[in-house]
Amino acid sequence: MSALADGATKEWLVMADWQHRAADAISHAGSDSGTYGRSRSGLEAIWQRADAAVDLEWYRYQNRFTGLAANSDRLYGDTADLILTGFKQWDHGERYAVQLIYAAECAAETKLALTEGFRWGLGGAVRWRPDPELDLALGLVLQARFEMGALPVPYVKAIWRPDTSAEFELRATGLQNGLFVRWFLTADRATTADFSMAYETLTFRLTDGSYGARAVAIGEVPLRVGVTQFLEASGTWFVRGSAEWVAFARHSFRHDGDTMGAFQPGASWGLAFRVGARF
């Protein structure tokens, strides 16, 4: 049985993930000079059906500072992120559906209890599938933010499948905003190449700075290419490798609704590896 056909009956997906980004000099940090780099490791489990999905992710980030930035309010230690996201869908005929979208996240510096970095998201979307090649969803999600008020964020997903060998997705969810392209290099979809160019965000509750409670909001634009390969005909085990170039990144520090400082790492490269299974 092909990996594609067998995947239709597999509701669970589990993965382990490793990522490394090289350090580069920081700017826009006042008199604080130095470098910043980051590594990541984690686990992810997804349960999915046509009308519902739940995604549980845990990641630990190792943040590496050098120079004057390592002795300032711009320094922060390793961080951890535990996030649960999902949706429930109600179909109205073959073309239309409405979705409930939800998220609960604990994201904090590891010196804090993970629960001190709790935030949430809740919203909904309308889905339209005019034909097999096009799938559109449009909605609104209210997202809580550390040291800032809750923010209504537009939710957009548009997927176009011009043929069986390619898939183009335009995604704007607040966490990821950009273009995602997948090419299926074999008829059974055992080998897939992908490319993405998106503005991605992270946010963490941090230990107090000289001005009191603080959080960091990270926005970055990685250009990423990757290849996923299933290892046997049943479509169970797979590996994925990717490389990325982070063209832009900015770390902004928030306190009581205000921005208290920032820095921008220079453009840097990164590598990632993932191993997983579907069952």
Side-chain angles (χ1 to χ4, degrees), residues 237-250:
W237 290 96
F238 66 90
V239 294
R240 181 179 187 274
S242 64
E244 62 187 25
W245 181 62
V246 185
F248 169 84
R250 184 175 178 86

Side-chain angles (χ1 to χ4, degrees), residues 26-34 66-74 262-263:
I26 66 173
S27 62
H28 298 76
S31 60
D32 295 333
S33 60
T66 66
L68 295 178
N71 296 283
S72 73
D73 273 338
R74 290 174 175 82
F263 71 86

